[in-house]
Amino acid sequence: MTESINELNKAKQAPDVEGVLPIFHTRWSPRSFTDREVSKADLAKVFEAARWAASSFNEQPWRFLVGTRNSTAYQKIFDSLMPFNQQWAYAAPVLILGTARTKFSHNGTPNRVALFDLGAASSYLTLQAAALGLVAHQMGGFEPDAARKAFAIPEDYIFGSVIALGYQGEPAALPNEQFLAQELAPRQRKPLKDFVFSAWGESADLG
């Protein structure tokens, strides 16, 4: 890893908070990838982490379509991306499409939290990737209809994100100044008082 990547990751690191796992503060979503392939063993590990996410009724509604570079699945996922994302995601060695079944298997009724559960599994996946020295970038910018048609995905499945997965590349390798500026921009998060309430719009007292 080059010094410029080290400097960038240091700048992106959130302030440490005692008792919070460090990986939450170091994980972020680069757009620059190297051409280094991800091993099947590491791919299995990130999906193993996703497997153990909590879900309503233990339904585990998530289904992931994974494509590695030069595979048919990779090309189908890539082709579904918006042109904006295609400009940088082509460098990622792995593309993953997340979907979730919107009906419970035990009674066929609607599962209103299916997308929530897929998000939890995807979050576990990205954190495990970070623990392995990989980076992941989730994208909402893709065409669900194109992906559904390409993979013949049943209508009772809803889409989450496409995840680009691989090893972090140099920021300078990005194709234009807009992407570079986004790569170098400071990480920002709302303070707890803005989203943890004791009554609607009233910040909770967390000490």
Side-chain angles (χ1 to χ4, degrees), residues 9-111:
N9 288 340
K10 184 177 180 180
K12 291 281 189 177
Q13 181 168 339
D16 290 335
V17 176
E18 184 178 357
V20 176
L21 295 175
I23 199 164
F24 290 109
H25 296 134
T26 57
R27 185 221 63 82
W28 65 286
S29 305
R31 286 186 172 87
S32 183
F33 291 85
T34 71
D35 59 4
R36 179 181 172 186
E37 301 299 329
V38 177
S39 71
K40 289 184 178 180
D42 281 348
L43 268 183
K45 289 171 186 174
V46 300
F47 287 114
E48 179 68 15
R51 185 163 81 101
W52 290 101
S55 62
S56 180
F57 282 96
N58 196 29
E59 175 68 21
Q60 303 163 60
W62 46 79
R63 302 292 184 273
F64 293 102
L65 289 151
V66 57
T68 54
R69 198 192 315 274
N70 298 322
S71 70
T72 300
Y74 185 101
Q75 191 62 48
K76 288 179 178 179
I77 298 171
F78 181 81
D79 287 345
S80 76
L81 295 177
M82 299 293 192
F84 177 84
N85 285 324
Q86 287 181 339
Q87 292 180 66
W88 62 267
Y90 75 91
V94 181
L95 294 176
I96 301 164
L97 172 63
T99 71
R101 188 168 187 253
T102 57
K103 295 179 181 178
F104 285 110
S105 58
H106 67 280
N107 61 9
T109 60
N111 180 0

Side-chain angles (χ1 to χ4, degrees), residues 100-158:
R101 188 168 187 253
T102 57
K103 295 179 181 178
F104 285 110
S105 58
H106 67 280
N107 61 9
T109 60
N111 180 0
R112 68 177 183 82
V113 294
L115 194 59
F116 174 88
D117 291 343
L118 170 62
S122 298
S123 181
Y124 278 31
L125 185 157
T126 62
L127 289 169
Q128 180 62 43
L132 293 170
L134 298 162
V135 294
H137 189 114
Q138 299 192 67
M139 296 169 270
F142 69 99
E143 291 285 356
D145 290 343
R148 189 182 302 280
K149 182 178 180 181
F151 286 104
I153 297 170
E155 290 295 328
D156 60 343
Y157 281 79
I158 193 170

Side-chain angles (χ1 to χ4, degrees), residues 131 154 176 199:
N176 60 50

Side-chain angles (χ1 to χ4, degrees), residues 169-192:
E170 293 285 349
L174 289 166
N176 60 50
E177 292 297 322
Q178 179 182 0
F179 291 135
L180 180 60
Q182 290 173 324
E183 197 85 342
L184 300 179
R187 291 175 71 199
Q188 296 181 340
R189 291 295 188 274
K190 295 177 181 178
L192 298 183

